[in-house]
Amino acid sequence: MARLAGVAAFSLVLVLLGAGVPRSAAAAAAKTQVFLSKLPKALVVGVSPKHGEVVHAGENTVTVTWSLNTSEPAGADAAFKSVKVKLCYAPASRTDRGWRKASDDLHKDKACQFKVTVQPYAAGAGRFDYVVARDIPTASYFVRAYAVDASGTEVAYGQSSPDAAFDVAGITGIHASLKVAAGVFSTFSIAALAFFFVVEKRKKDK
């Protein structure tokens, strides 16, 4: 009986501890929930492509720069430990595309899906040369940078202008040589059909 009582007590403790885990996880999630509208726009972000310029996925490089906004008070960047940079769909490339929808809640935001880099924060300024990843789809983009604290939470941000977006030409998966070959075979097929048509007509005429 004593052994059964001990097992029952131990099981009860495990159940109580297990029941407490979701609440703790939910509480932690609530603490780290971040809204873009609540973040100070403390970073100035620049990109090398000009508005409307086309860069090619897997080939071209986008230079991203960031620095602390000079209007920020002294010590405003005391909590900045790293800078997280993302490539974001411009408004024109989000229209009628729910899977790219922007959200003020950063955990729900789908506009900034592509990681560019994470760099240690250095007082003054930073720079990164990003070779556009091969899986970036064709669309218009801008760049957003988040200043992140020691816990990994976004505490400030900055971005290039969404209205001055640049374009990425994604990889279609069809090599240029395949297109040429397809064109040659199409031409050959048409010529062959014309030849057989003439031959058949001559046979009928005889």
Side-chain angles (χ1 to χ4, degrees):
M1 292 292 293
R3 181 178 295 178
L4 291 175
V7 171
F10 181 71
S11 298
L12 180 60
V13 170
L14 290 178
V15 170
L16 291 174
L17 288 174
V21 169
R23 283 194 288 270
S24 299
K31 288 180 181 178
T32 58
Q33 189 175 34
V34 180
F35 293 93
L36 185 67
S37 59
K38 301 289 181 65
L39 296 180
K41 200 171 183 179
L43 298 178
V44 177
V45 176
V47 291
S48 57
K50 298 177 181 179
H51 175 46
E53 185 176 341
V54 178
V55 296
H56 297 270
E59 298 179 17
N60 298 133
T61 299
V62 173
T63 299
V64 183
T65 59
W66 59 88
S67 60
L68 184 67
N69 196 321
T70 55
S71 64
E72 292 296 306
D77 58 349
F80 298 179
K81 298 302 179 183
S82 60
V83 174
K84 178 171 60 177
V85 184
K86 289 193 169 186
L87 194 62
C88 309
Y89 288 111
S93 292
R94 299 197 301 256
T95 304
D96 298 325
R97 295 176 174 89
W99 62 93
R100 299 178 180 179
K101 184 178 180 181
S103 174
D104 191 37
D105 184 344
L106 296 187
H107 293 289
K108 298 178 181 179
D109 180 62
K110 298 176 183 177
C112 300
Q113 299 182 17
F114 306 104
K115 175 184 173 182
V116 172
T117 186
V118 177
Q119 299 283 322
Y121 176 74
R127 169 187 171 130
F128 184 75
D129 293 323
Y130 169 64
V131 178
V132 182
R134 295 175 62 86
D135 61 347
I136 300 299
T138 298
S140 295
Y141 295 89
F142 66 98
V143 172
R144 180 180 293 165
Y146 296 102
V148 180
D149 66 12
S151 70
T153 302
E154 298 87 349
V155 292
Y157 84 105
Q159 62 186 32
S160 60
S161 174
D163 296 324
F166 58 91
D167 298 324
V168 170
I171 296 175
T172 63
I174 302 176
H175 197 275
S177 60
L178 291 178
K179 292 182 179 180
V180 172
V184 171
F185 281 118
S186 296
T187 303
F188 175 78
S189 298
I190 293 171
L193 285 173
F195 173 76
F196 286 115
F197 176 78
V198 171
V199 170
E200 287 297 321
K201 187 176 181 183
R202 285 182 178 179
K203 286 182 179 179
K204 289 181 180 180
D205 290 343
K206 288 181 180 180

